[in-house]
Amino acid sequence: MTRDFAPEMTYAARHFTLQLSATRRGARLARLLTERQLDDWDVRSEAAAQIVAELASNAVLHGHVPGRDFRLTLWLRAGRTLRVEVTDARGDRVPSAQDPALEEGGRGLLIVAAYADRWGVERTPPTKTVWAELVLDHRRVAGDRGVR
């Protein structure tokens, strides 16, 4: 008896990574390069650009060590999940989303939490990586049916 098997559909993950200076200019460049890379991948996501802006800004403000850069990494998996990772040099400072009423500033991770489907922190001393994932719907991925 023979069976007919449907071919398994596999999608390679798309990957982009870059070291940037831990300066305000580096944080701005992270957002601009993210927008350009997502455009190359035919992904439209203002949420992703905002997440990168917040995480890069945090890396510069709170994760800066003189002479050390931060790293931006983007993963697009199966065309549906975008993972943003920002790694900085301060593994000893673990961020948390706080109530903005408690402090001046501190709203960046609340913004990340609002845009992302999930986010977290991975510590690998002496560094840490703050990551966020977005599950892209058909309206965010150009080229899919239904996009106008």
Side-chain angles (χ1 to χ4, degrees):
M1 179 169 158
T2 61
R3 289 184 173 182
D4 292 325
F5 290 100
E8 184 176 321
M9 299 296 285
T10 59
Y11 297 91
R14 295 178 180 182
H15 175 255
F16 172 82
T17 190
L18 185 65
Q19 292 283 125
L20 296 158
S21 65
T23 62
R24 290 183 356 194
R25 183 176 181 202
R28 282 192 309 272
L29 190 56
R31 180 185 175 121
L32 292 172
L33 292 173
T34 295
E35 290 170 343
R36 179 162 290 171
Q37 185 61 52
L38 293 178
D39 190 47
D40 286 349
W41 289 342
D42 289 328
V43 173
R44 307 291 181 259
S45 178
E46 179 59 31
Q50 188 64 39
I51 287 169
V52 168
E54 294 298 335
L55 295 182
S57 176
N58 283 352
V60 169
L61 292 173
H62 307 294
H64 177 73
V65 171
R68 302 282 307 272
D69 296 336
F70 73 94
R71 183 177 60 238
L72 167 67
T73 303
L74 305 173
W75 291 95
L76 181 60
R77 297 183 177 139
R80 291 285 175 235
T81 302
L82 178 68
R83 181 177 173 104
V84 173
E85 299 176 351
V86 175
T87 302
D88 67 42
R90 294 295 304 260
D92 59 328
R93 289 189 177 175
V94 178
S96 65
Q98 298 175 355
D99 182 347
L102 299 177
E103 283 187 37
E104 182 87 21
R107 294 176 185 92
L109 288 176
L110 290 174
I111 292 170
V112 170
Y115 280 117
D117 291 295
R118 59 194 154 272
W119 73 276
V121 180
E122 295 173 358
R123 295 179 65 194
T124 51
T127 66
K128 74 172 169 303
T129 299
V130 183
W131 58 269
E133 291 183 346
L134 294 105
V135 176
L136 302 173
D137 62 28
H138 69 279
R139 292 178 304 276
R140 292 185 186 154
V141 181
D144 279 0
R145 284 180 245 161
V147 175
R148 292 175 177 41

